[in-house]
Amino acid sequence: MQAVNRLLAEKGFDAMTVDEVAARVGIAKASLYKHFPSKEDLAAAAMVRVMRRAQEFFGALSGAAPPLENLRSAVRWTMALKLAGDMPALPSQNSSLRATLMSNREYMDGLMEVSDRLGAWIEAAQADGSLSRKYPPIAVLYTLYARACDPVLEFLQMGGQHSPEEIIELVLATCFEGLNAR
Amino acid sequence: MQAVNRLLAEKGFDAMTVDEVAARVGIAKASLYKHFPSKEDLAAAAMVRVMRRAQEFFGALSGAAPPLENLRSAVRWTMALKLAGDMPALPSQNSSLRATLMSNREYMDGLMEVSDRLGAWIEAAQADGSLSRKYPPIAVLYTLYARACDPVLEFLQMGGQHSPEEIIELVLATCFEGLNAR
DNA sequence: GTCTATAATCAGATAGAC
DNA sequence: GTCTATCTGATTATAGAC
C-alpha cells in the first residue's frame, strides 16, 4: 500500500505500472494479483487508505476551535502530505480508476464524510464572518480540495528556496488572503 | 493540431493515443508519422501553438492599463481557454513530453517571454500597492500559471450551476481576493 | 502466498506500395 | 502524402508448479 501510494503520487495512475509496484515491494507481479484483482483495485485500496487518514485527522480537529482554523488545519495537513510525496494524484477525468473509485463504497463514504465536515465548517465560517460570504460553499470546498493537487507546491519545492513549512504557509496565505494587497 | 490540442485537453498526453488523433483527423496513423517523428513531437507542436496564442494575447494587452488589470486579463484568458476545452494539460513531472518540450526552442522562448511579461506586471503591481508585497514574485507567477490547470474550473462546470463567465469571475475572485472576508 | 513462464492486448513506430 | 500491413516493446493479467 505504501509503495502504491508513493507511485501514485510520483507518476499518477496511468504512468504507474504493476511491474514497478511489484519491484518496489520485492515480490513477483503475480503475487500482487493474488491480493488485488486489478490495477484499479490496487490503486483504489491506496486511495481508501489515504481517505481514512484524512477522516482520522479531520475528525480529531477541535470542535471548540473557530471553524476557519479547522479549515486551515485541514488544508495544511493535505499540503504537507503532498509535499512529503504521499498524496496520490487525483484520477483524471477519463482514467479507468475513476469508475472503480466511484463504485467503491468505502471511498465514497469517506469522501462524503469529509465533504460534510468541511462543508459544515465552511458554512459556520461564513456565518461568523471570517470567511467571505460571496462564494457559494461548494466553490470554497472545491478550492480547498484543489490544494491537494496544487502544482504551486511542487514548483516552489523544486525551486529549493523555501522549506516545506514556508511553502505551506505561503500557499495557505494566497488561498485564504488572496494575492491582492489588503 | 486542433485535434491534438483537444485530446491533450481532454485526456492529457499519456492517455492520448496516436490512433485517436489519426481517427479524429480522418487519416491513417502512418500518415501522421510522416509529419511528426514521434508522439512527443506531435504534442509539442500543439503546445507551441498554444504558447504562441498566449504570447499574442498577452502582447496585445494595454501598456497603459494598471498592471494588476493586465494580470487579471491574462488569467481570465487562460481560464476561458481551459473552460472551452482548449487548454492542453500540463505534462506531469515524469512524462516523456516534458523532456521534449524543455528542449524545444520555440516553446521555451515563448515560456520565457510570457514569464518575463507577467513577472514585470507582478513587480509593478507590488510596487503600486495593488498586489500584496508579502509574496515572492515567483510564487505569484506560479499561482497565476496554476489557474491554467485548476480543477475547480471543471468541477464547477460539471456542477452546471454557473455559466463559464460566472465560473471565471468566481475563481478569479478567490485567487486575487482570497477566501477570507475582507 | 510466492514463484516462473506465458498469454493477450494495446500502442508507438516503421516498411513499402501507390 | 496517403494507405495497408506489420513490427516491436511494454503492460495488464493468468496458468500452474511449489
Side-chain angles (χ1 to χ4, degrees), chain A residues 7-170:
Chain A
L7 282 168
L8 283 178
E10 284 171 30
K11 348 186 30 164
F13 177 73
D14 290 332
M16 174 186 88
T17 70
V18 181
D19 286 277
E20 280 172 317
V21 177
R24 200 168 286 199
V25 176
I27 66 172
K29 178 165 54 169
S31 307
L32 222 47
Y33 273 100
K34 299 287 184 179
H35 297 280
F36 302 95
S38 73
K39 182 186 174 185
E40 281 77 13
D41 289 282
L42 181 61
M47 301 291 288
V48 165
R49 181 166 155 273
V50 170
M51 187 60 74
R52 256 199 299 257
R53 289 171 65 186
Q55 283 179 272
E56 283 166 20
F57 181 85
F58 295 174
L61 286 176
S62 164
L68 182 65
E69 269 320 301
N70 282 335
L71 289 174
R72 291 171 63 95
S73 299
V75 174
R76 264 197 207 93
W77 180 85
T78 305
M79 293 194 295
L81 206 68
K82 176 160 177 64
L83 281 173
D86 284 323
M87 174 63 79
L90 294 184
S92 70
Q93 222 53 32
N94 307 48
S95 172
S96 57
L97 176 57
R98 224 184 123 79
T100 302
L101 273 180
M102 301 239 307
S103 63
N104 183 310
R105 178 66 183 279
E106 192 175 359
Y107 180 79
M108 290 307 288
D109 283 354
L111 183 58
M112 293 295 175
E113 189 196 309
V114 166
S115 296
D116 284 348
R117 194 180 293 274
L118 293 176
W121 286 333
I122 289 167
E123 291 184 15
Q126 287 187 324
D128 76 18
S130 52
L131 215 56
S132 171
R133 293 193 180 88
K134 76 173 169 183
Y135 307 119
I138 188 75
V140 177
L141 181 66
Y142 290 160
T143 302
L144 299 181
Y145 273 147
R147 284 332 103 213
C149 60
D150 193 339
V152 173
L153 292 168
E154 53 208 84
F155 284 159
L156 288 174
Q157 194 172 32
M158 268 197 306
Q161 300 294 308
H162 306 277
S163 69
E165 292 75 24
E166 289 170 340
I167 293 173
I168 287 174
E169 293 310 315
L170 192 52

Side-chain angles (χ1 to χ4, degrees), chain B residues 100-149:
Chain B
T100 301
L101 273 180
M102 301 240 305
S103 64
N104 183 311
R105 178 67 183 279
E106 191 174 0
Y107 180 80
M108 290 307 288
D109 283 353
L111 183 59
M112 293 295 176
E113 189 195 311
V114 166
S115 296
D116 284 347
R117 193 180 294 273
L118 293 176
W121 285 333
I122 289 168
E123 291 183 15
Q126 286 186 324
D128 75 18
S130 52
L131 216 54
S132 171
R133 294 192 179 89
K134 75 173 170 184
Y135 307 119
I138 188 75
V140 177
L141 181 66
Y142 291 160
T143 301
L144 299 182
Y145 273 147
R147 285 330 104 214
C149 59

Side-chain angles (χ1 to χ4, degrees), chain B:
Chain B
M1 281 301 89
Q2 198 178 340
V4 172
N5 204 48
R6 297 295 290 215
L7 282 168
L8 283 178
E10 285 171 31
K11 345 184 35 163
F13 177 74
D14 290 331
M16 174 187 87
T17 70
V18 180
D19 287 277
E20 281 173 316
V21 177
R24 202 169 286 200
V25 176
I27 66 171
K29 176 163 59 168
S31 307
L32 222 46
Y33 273 99
K34 299 288 183 180
H35 298 279
F36 301 94
S38 72
K39 183 186 175 186
E40 280 76 13
D41 289 283
L42 181 60
M47 301 291 288
V48 164
R49 181 165 155 274
V50 170
M51 186 61 75
R52 257 199 298 255
R53 289 171 64 187
Q55 283 179 273
E56 284 166 20
F57 181 85
F58 296 173
L61 287 176
S62 163
L68 182 64
E69 269 321 301
N70 281 335
L71 290 173
R72 292 171 62 96
S73 299
V75 174
R76 264 197 206 93
W77 179 85
T78 305
M79 293 195 295
L81 206 68
K82 175 157 177 68
L83 281 173
D86 284 323
M87 175 63 78
L90 294 184
S92 70
Q93 222 53 34
N94 306 48
S95 173
S96 58
L97 176 57
R98 224 185 122 81
T100 301
L101 273 180
M102 301 240 305
S103 64
N104 183 311
R105 178 67 183 279
E106 191 174 0
Y107 180 80
M108 290 307 288
D109 283 353
L111 183 59
M112 293 295 176
E113 189 195 311
V114 166
S115 296
D116 284 347
R117 193 180 294 273
L118 293 176
W121 285 333
I122 289 168
E123 291 183 15
Q126 286 186 324
D128 75 18
S130 52
L131 216 54
S132 171
R133 294 192 179 89
K134 75 173 170 184
Y135 307 119
I138 188 75
V140 177
L141 181 66
Y142 291 160
T143 301
L144 299 182
Y145 273 147
R147 285 330 104 214
C149 59
D150 193 338
V152 174
L153 292 167
E154 53 209 83
F155 283 160
L156 288 173
Q157 196 174 30
M158 267 196 305
Q161 300 294 308
H162 306 278
S163 69
E165 292 75 23
E166 289 170 340
I167 293 173
I168 288 174
E169 293 309 315
L170 192 51
V171 175
L172 200 67
T174 63
C175 179
F176 283 95
E177 300 172 34
L179 296 174
N180 286 350
R182 278 183 179 254

